[in-house]
Amino acid sequence: MEKDSGYPTSDAHPVAVAGSVEKPHQGGLWSRIKSHATLEVEESSYAPPGTSWSNKDLDPVPPEMQTWHTYNFVTYWISDAFAISNWRIGASLVAIGLSWKLALVAVVIGNFVTALVVTYNGVIGARLHIPFTVQARSAFGFYFSYVMIVFRVIVSIFWYGIGTYTGAECIRSIIYAWAPNFRNVPNHLPESANIDTGFMICYFIYFILVLPFHWIPAHQLHWFFTFKAIVTPIAGFAILGWVIHSTGGGDQVFTYGNSYSGSSLGWAFMSGVNAMIGNFATLGVNMNDFARYSKKPNSPYIQLFIIPVAFIVMMLFGIIGANGSRIIYDEVLWDPMLIIDNWTSPGGRAAAFFIALGFLIASIGINISANSISVAVDLSTLFPRYLNIRRAQYVCAVLGAWAMCPWEILASAESLLTFMDGYSIWLAPMAGILISDYWIVNKQRANVVEMYQPHGMYSYEKWGTNWRSVVAFVVGFAPLLPGFAKAVTSGLNVSAGASNLYALGYFYAFLSSSALYIALSKIWPPRSEYTGRTIADHLAEEPSQI
């Protein structure tokens, strides 16, 4: 049986076989399947010996694997920002009727909030070197944290599928530029399939193309993100230059005003801000899955600067591209691939080929950074004997790309896309509780070893659940459910107040949950005693464990 943890081993990391392959197969078919499926993994140095609560991939990152420097966080976010999805967000603000000025204000506010949440949660991972799934045990309790993990794994699998669809669009644009006759490939699929034969070919190509990238260990991915941070901005600036040139200068793309006025304009603006923050809600929770590889504990603070700058630039590209396409084609094209698909001259097709290639690299990177690694950490926590981070990424790829059928979601189920945007009503209180637990309630103290003990101090008073976080979590999302239901099913009769509160959903959910969690923790302090030791202390005091 292969050992495919993806990480180097050493004498300090003794190998423990979770399911022996030396013994002859006994029992029935199910016993044989379990024997082959069980991983030969390095047992956790922190979880109780012989248990199936964890594996080595979930342990605090040892010093030799802390490979992320401050500049890697810069290139990580540049590579994440310059992606089709973020171009679309800027364009969508124009599409819903905002002027370029108001759309830009929405972008600034949304990305500043995103930077705060991502940074102050990411610093926790950089200090303690633990993933989200372990960090959550401190705030939610050892057992209830698994509920939070299930919430996150569902949304990330959905978004992996949508990211695969986006990557297939890049493949299609590359083939259109290289072989224009591909547009005429006969369709052998029924209309009810919501996908044609040509696009299915592109979809399969992308699916196969991205698989080798899941083999790269997470602590080594920073090299790919650096490469992506160089290539993708070039593609974005190329389209922007063409749009400005084709419209006769930059002034033309800034002539459109707002389509709303009065309170309708205000709520449309807040809805745009909330939807934009919601798009990055997963990153506000999962940043520790990468930040734990940081060499220095304060490196994530650079995100306070780079996130607003990088995302504002890319979303401004989307705003200009949307207004420019309205001038050039008399319709708003909010997808950069749709713009370059119109470049039919030989020179235009050559440019389209390289631009689509650049965005293809971007789509691969963002699907890994925002989705597959997060799903892998979640699944390896849920099934540590059967899945490590590498193997779980392939499970994510199959489930997200094929089981979820994202072409069905994008083609015929707008309500499900609204559901995915609305998923922030659960992720926002989760992020608020995680951040307030570390920074305010526990005053930046944690006991990392205890986070791996099912009956340790993070089991709290009963059932391995911190009831304070449960109450805060419910209060954070429950009042938003009517507005969420209205957004998903427009025919529902919901009060204007509920709809307006939903437009403020992320702000309400984050602030209310964190404030209530802090208040409950002050009134009824948890009985656990916090030692104040960080992972750095453990390294100094018990180096043989790391």
Side-chain angles (χ1 to χ4, degrees):
M1 183 179 298
E2 65 174 1
K3 178 173 27 176
D4 63 348
S5 69
Y7 299 116
T9 60
S10 67
D11 293 339
H13 298 140
V15 176
V17 180
S20 175
V21 295
E22 301 298 329
K23 296 179 180 179
H25 295 305
Q26 297 178 353
L29 177 61
W30 176 242
S31 297
R32 294 179 178 230
I33 293 174
K34 286 183 66 177
S35 178
H36 286 289
T38 303
L39 281 172
E40 181 181 346
V41 297
E42 292 182 272
E43 191 174 78
S44 170
S45 298
Y46 284 76
T51 66
S52 58
W53 288 111
S54 189
N55 60 43
K56 198 66 182 178
D57 282 1
L58 303 175
D59 276 0
V61 175
E64 66 270 18
M65 291 170 57
Q66 295 168 18
T67 56
W68 282 52
H69 299 270
T70 301
Y71 73 87
N72 293 125
F73 286 91
V74 174
T75 56
Y76 172 93
W77 284 107
I78 292 176
S79 68
D80 246 26
F82 283 84
I84 292 176
S85 58
N86 298 315
W87 179 294
R88 289 170 176 166
I89 292 172
S92 68
L93 296 176
V94 173
I96 66 173
L98 298 182
S99 68
W100 74 269
K101 292 181 180 179
L102 204 56
L104 187 59
V105 173
V107 166
V108 171
I109 294 174
N111 284 290
F112 181 70
V113 173
T114 299
L116 289 174
V117 175
V118 169
T119 298
Y120 282 96
N121 200 32
V123 169
I124 302 172
R127 289 181 175 182
L128 306 181
H129 301 288
I130 56 176
F132 154 76
T133 55
V134 176
Q135 174 202 6
R137 295 169 182 173
S138 171
F140 294 97
F142 192 94
Y143 294 120
F144 192 75
S145 67
Y146 284 85
V147 177
M148 301 297 103
I149 293 169
V150 171
F151 269 110
R152 193 182 74 159
V153 74
I154 292 173
V155 70
S156 294
I157 288 177
F158 266 102
W159 278 116
Y160 184 93
I162 294 172
T164 302
Y165 190 96
T166 299
E169 290 182 307
C170 297
I171 294 289
R172 182 176 62 184
S173 295
I174 289 173
I175 297 177
Y176 280 173
W178 178 53
N181 290 334
F182 187 76
R183 298 173 186 263
N184 302 321
V185 169
N187 180 34
H188 299 291
L189 297 174
E191 185 176 350
S192 60
N194 291 317
I195 187 172
D196 57 44
T197 300
F199 194 82
M200 180 59 79
I201 293 172
C202 299
Y203 191 88
F204 184 76
I205 292 173
Y206 176 86
F207 174 77
I208 297 299
L209 181 64
V210 78
L211 292 181
F213 290 90
H214 296 322
W215 189 261
I216 304 174
H219 70 284
Q220 295 178 1
L221 280 169
H222 58 291
W223 297 111
F224 176 63
F225 294 140
T226 300
F227 170 70
K228 178 174 173 283
I230 297 171
V231 172
T232 310
I234 296 174
F237 277 104
I239 299 180
L240 181 71
W242 180 86
V243 168
I244 293 176
H245 175 76
S246 299
T247 56
D251 292 343
Q252 293 294 320
V253 299
F254 298 117
T255 56
Y256 294 98
N258 296 306
S259 300
Y260 298 95
S261 61
S263 62
S264 297
L265 177 60
W267 288 114
F269 170 79
M270 288 308 304
S271 179
V273 172
N274 189 65
M276 180 169 54
I277 299 173
N279 185 67
F280 306 120
T282 54
L283 293 170
V285 173
N286 74 9
M287 190 59 209
N288 284 348
D289 296 337
F290 286 99
R292 66 181 178 136
Y293 297 104
S294 178
K295 193 172 186 65
K296 297 181 180 179
N298 292 329
S299 288
Y301 280 117
I302 192 65
Q303 297 172 131
L304 290 172
F305 170 77
I306 192 59
I307 290 176
V309 170
F311 281 89
I312 287 169
V313 169
M314 187 58 180
M315 292 178 186
L316 182 59
F317 284 9
I319 293 170
I320 295 173
N323 277 335
S325 65
R326 178 156 42 182
I327 296 170
I328 299 169
Y329 302 113
D330 201 29
E331 63 175 324
V332 175
L333 299 180
W334 71 320
D335 188 325
M337 295 299 98
L338 295 178
I339 294 176
I340 67 173
D341 284 348
N342 285 284
W343 299 356
T344 56
S345 67
R349 287 193 288 112
F353 177 91
F354 288 106
I355 289 173
L357 181 61
F359 277 106
L360 173 63
I361 295 170
S363 71
I364 293 173
I366 200 169
N367 226 11
I368 293 173
S369 64
N371 301 318
S372 72
I373 290 292
S374 299
V375 173
V377 174
D378 294 341
L379 291 177
S380 61
T381 302
L382 295 173
F383 309 103
R385 292 188 62 200
Y386 302 99
L387 296 173
N388 57 15
I389 289 179
R390 175 178 287 166
R391 182 183 286 192
Q393 284 194 80
Y394 291 110
V395 174
C396 170
V398 173
L399 292 177
W402 300 105
M404 295 301 177
C405 299
W407 53 88
E408 296 281 357
I409 299 172
L410 292 167
S412 61
E414 183 179 343
S415 61
L416 283 182
L417 281 180
T418 304
F419 171 78
M420 298 308 298
D421 286 336
Y423 211 93
S424 62
I425 71 173
W426 287 281
L427 294 176
M430 196 184 303
I433 293 169
L434 289 171
I435 291 173
S436 60
D437 175 73
Y438 179 79
W439 290 99
I440 300 176
V441 173
N442 294 310
K443 299 180 176 64
Q444 305 178 44
R445 297 173 299 174
N447 190 319
V448 174
V449 172
E450 286 291 304
M451 293 182 188
Y452 291 84
Q453 311 304 313
H455 303 295
M457 70 188 204
Y458 294 115
S459 63
Y460 287 93
E461 292 88 351
K462 199 172 185 180
W463 300 322
T465 298
N466 183 0
W467 65 268
R468 304 157 192 81
S469 61
V470 175
V471 172
F473 181 70
V474 173
V475 170
F477 78 81
L480 300 174
L481 289 177
F484 169 68
K486 172 69 174 177
V488 173
T489 309
S490 58
L492 287 179
N493 185 18
V494 175
S495 68
S499 296
N500 291 339
L501 181 62
Y502 180 69
L504 301 171
Y506 194 93
F507 294 95
Y508 165 80
F510 184 94
L511 294 175
S512 64
S513 61
S514 57
L516 182 57
Y517 179 69
I518 293 169
L520 293 175
S521 298
K522 295 298 182 182
I523 298 171
W524 293 284
R527 284 181 286 180
S528 56
E529 294 181 4
Y530 296 88
T531 65
R533 294 194 301 171
T534 67
I535 188 61
D537 299 317
H538 294 305
L539 281 168
E541 298 169 14
E542 304 174 69
S544 62
Q545 280 199 338
I546 304 300

